[in-house]
Amino acid sequence: LEAKEEFSHKTLAMDVMRPRRNDPTLTVITQDSLTVADIEATITETTYSGFPVVVSRESQRLVGFVLRRDLIISIESARKKQDGIVSSSRIYFTEHTPPQPPTAPPSLKLRSIMDLSPFTITDQTPMEIVVDIFRKLGLRQCLVTHNGRLLGIITKKDVLKHIAQMANQDPDSILFN
Ligand code: ADP
């Protein structure tokens, strides 16, 4: 059917990604400006499975992706085993950490738990292609950018919901197994 073809071509990554137009912004972690307390607050206040790591809020340049459970494990373990790690300790996802002022508590380096090359697509990518990529690469999530700036996220569940919606309109479409 002509109409179906047209419809499926028109759905783009930007139509499926979160946040939606009027939703609160994407929850991100900055690579070198947050404390242990800041990140613990993010973990408590949200339920997301992971967080994009960016250079800064202003730039929204993506540097990686960190899983919620890895953050929880690493912070808990550092608080217990690593000398001097307290709420005001700075967390770094950068390769190098700047020298700390003598009065500052030791910082916590978490670059090793970050995925340095999370899969990324642009907001204009047709959903047909996104579905294909998720299937073929077995992705759990994919980040969405526009002109190099991080814009949103699409999880496997978002893709499955999108497919289910398409299936309601188009009984012939093939579902994920
Ligand atoms: P799932 O989609 O499997 O429930 P999540 O709990 O991570 O996985 O995500 C729930 C919803 O929130 C999804 O629609 C997803 O697109 C969105 N989401 C995931 N991570 C973030 C984030 N860091 N900031 C804002 N929204 C997010």
Side-chain angles (χ1 to χ4, degrees), residues 17-19 25-28 47-52 153-158 161:
M17 71 167 203
R18 304 302 160 115
T25 53
L26 190 68
T27 302
V28 296
T47 59
Y48 305 128
S49 313
F51 308 93
I153 185 168
I154 298 178
T155 66
K156 183 178 170 183
K157 220 180 258 179
D158 294 329
K161 275 187 214 151

Side-chain angles (χ1 to χ4, degrees), residues 99-106:
Q100 300 292 304
T103 51

Side-chain angles (χ1 to χ4, degrees), residues 130-139 142 154-156 159:
V130 177
V131 169
D132 218 40
I133 294 170
F134 266 81
R135 279 188 177 135
K136 287 185 174 146
L137 301 183
L139 298 182
C142 172
I154 298 178
T155 66
K156 183 178 170 183
V159 172

